[in-house]
């Protein structure tokens, strides 16, 4: 119950959540992630959280 509630609250604050995407490529800028290369194209972001699971 907690995870869907956190996702809903995050979306209300402008967060975009991408599920079931692989991100084999990662670009960095100044030692921080600046973009992810996915099978659906590149995603650039000023801030990001990358979570992985099975």
């Amino acid at each position: 119950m907690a995870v869907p509630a956190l996702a809903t609250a995050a979306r209300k604050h402008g967060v975009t959540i991408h599920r079931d995407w692989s991100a084999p490529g990662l670009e960095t800028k100044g030692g921080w992630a600046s973009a992810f290369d996915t099978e659906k194209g590149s995603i650039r972001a000023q801030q990001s959280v990358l979570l992985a699971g099975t």
Side-chain angles (χ1 to χ4, degrees), residues 1-11 15 17 19 51:
M1 290 175 41
V3 174
L6 289 170
T8 298
R11 285 187 185 103
V15 171
I17 298 173
R19 296 182 61 200
L51 303 173

Side-chain angles (χ1 to χ4, degrees), residues 3-48:
V3 174
L6 289 170
T8 298
R11 285 187 185 103
K12 288 180 182 177
H13 291 279
V15 171
T16 303
I17 298 173
H18 301 279
R19 296 182 61 200
D20 301 320
W21 288 24
S22 65
L26 173 67
E27 294 178 35
T28 60
K29 186 175 184 178
W32 295 90
S34 60
F36 297 91
D37 296 323
T38 75
E39 76 263 12
K40 298 180 182 183
S42 181
I43 299 174
R44 295 204 172 280
Q46 291 179 346
Q47 298 178 349
S48 61

